Amino acid sequence: MANFSFSPSDSSIFILTGIPGLEADHIWISIPFSAFYIMGLLGNFTVLFVVGKEQTLHKPMYLLLCMLALSDITTSTSFVPKALCIFWFNLKSITVKSCLTQMFFFYAFSTMHSAVLVTMAFDRYVAICNPLRYATILTNARIAKLGLVGLTRAVLFILPMPLLLSRQPFCANRIIPHTYCDHIAVAKVSCGDITASRVYGMLMAFVIIGFDLTLIGLSYGLIIRTLLRISSKEANQKALNTCTAHICALMTSYPLGLLSSLSHRFGQGITPHVHILLSNLHYLIPPMLNPIIYGINTKDLRDKMVKYICRMYSPRGTDFKPS
């Protein structure tokens, strides 16, 4: 049998410890980890399949939902398989190049996720504040271009993080107390001056989250202003209902993310395993909940998903028509 253990002093590898202080409970912790991950994959791939198969769902809103599903899948897949290898097989080693590569894709995909949420807020703004021009303002081609802009932003903003660390000399003790190659955790095992890496990482965190939250807040501010001008309570309620799914997606993503980021940087009195559990849950819970949120709150998508699920479990030739 191959020997997968390495010494922490090996110049080509890091050692990811998993969740420090809870090593004895890794097997039990892996149960919710794997359950959340599998549920997220099933839900998001179902959304992609249904939207891809149904021509009636080839609309900007559902294209955005597919982009959200892809960002959820890629973000969680960039770190969960390695975390499960640590929990199940004690495979803690990772090469420096693999670690920096994981770091890039992990942060790039999570940044893309935030960009998609911003674009969805803009979609809701146009739908409510300028409904007559919605079809001309937000076409599928324009949504695809906005997605490309978000992806370009993610690559350009995140690429310097692993590049700056790749030039650093690392200490002999290369133990990273985390389940994945977190930027700050990797920087701390460097023997060189990491001021530039620290400042850039913190700057990007505040710039990306701050900028995106500002745009989302602006969109909803304009939506609220428009709703206050509408005298019909029924019209107000209908407009608000179209925003419910997006607001729920925001609430599962940003509060936990901000709490994780702030506790990691400023919560010196918080035990390390709390930091790491918060960080992991931040990237596990939204991918699991988003397909459920949009499946419940979006009638067209819900009906199509029910149709395909019933078709899978119904006798051949039986057609299901949602009420």
Side-chain angles (χ1 to χ4, degrees), residues 133-261:
R133 296 187 59 203
Y134 179 85
T136 56
I137 294 174
L138 287 179
T139 61
N140 284 349
R142 190 158 292 164
I143 291 295
K145 289 177 182 177
L146 288 173
L148 185 60
V149 170
L151 181 60
T152 303
R153 181 191 76 155
V155 171
L156 292 179
F157 281 15
I158 299 303
L159 188 59
M161 292 169 65
L163 288 180
L164 285 170
L165 287 176
S166 68
R167 299 180 179 182
Q168 291 289 333
F170 292 103
C171 303
N173 186 12
R174 299 184 173 202
I175 297 175
I176 300 173
H178 217 299
T179 54
Y180 61 87
C181 291
D182 175 74
H183 176 251
I184 295 298
V186 175
K188 285 180 178 179
V189 300
S190 170
C191 294
D193 184 3
I194 59 169
T195 303
S197 289
R198 277 182 172 275
V199 171
Y200 187 82
M202 188 174 295
L203 183 64
M204 285 300 99
F206 282 105
V207 166
I208 292 170
I209 296 174
F211 180 73
D212 289 355
L213 285 177
T214 299
L215 291 180
I216 291 169
L218 180 62
S219 295
Y220 275 98
L222 294 172
I223 288 172
I224 292 170
R225 188 183 71 173
T226 300
L227 294 179
L228 291 175
R229 294 176 178 175
I230 300 174
S231 57
S232 170
K233 290 185 178 179
E234 184 179 346
N236 273 338
Q237 189 62 43
K238 186 177 180 181
L240 283 173
N241 287 341
T242 66
C243 298
T244 302
H246 184 248
I247 292 172
C248 290
L250 293 174
M251 294 305 294
T252 63
S253 181
Y254 286 111
L256 191 56
L258 286 171
L259 179 62
S260 172
S261 180

Side-chain angles (χ1 to χ4, degrees), residues 59-78:
K59 300 174 182 178
M61 185 177 76
Y62 298 104
L63 181 57
L64 283 170
L65 191 53
C66 286
M67 291 164 61
L68 185 68
L70 281 171
S71 67
D72 279 337
I73 290 169
T74 51
T75 300
S76 58
T77 302
S78 67

Side-chain angles (χ1 to χ4, degrees), residues 34-69:
S34 55
F36 292 165
Y37 178 58
I38 292 169
M39 289 172 65
L41 289 182
L42 289 174
N44 284 296
F45 275 121
T46 300
V47 169
L48 292 172
F49 173 78
V50 172
V51 174
K53 291 284 286 185
E54 290 291 332
Q55 289 290 331
T56 57
L57 298 182
H58 292 181
K59 300 174 182 178
M61 185 177 76
Y62 298 104
L63 181 57
L64 283 170
L65 191 53
C66 286
M67 291 164 61
L68 185 68

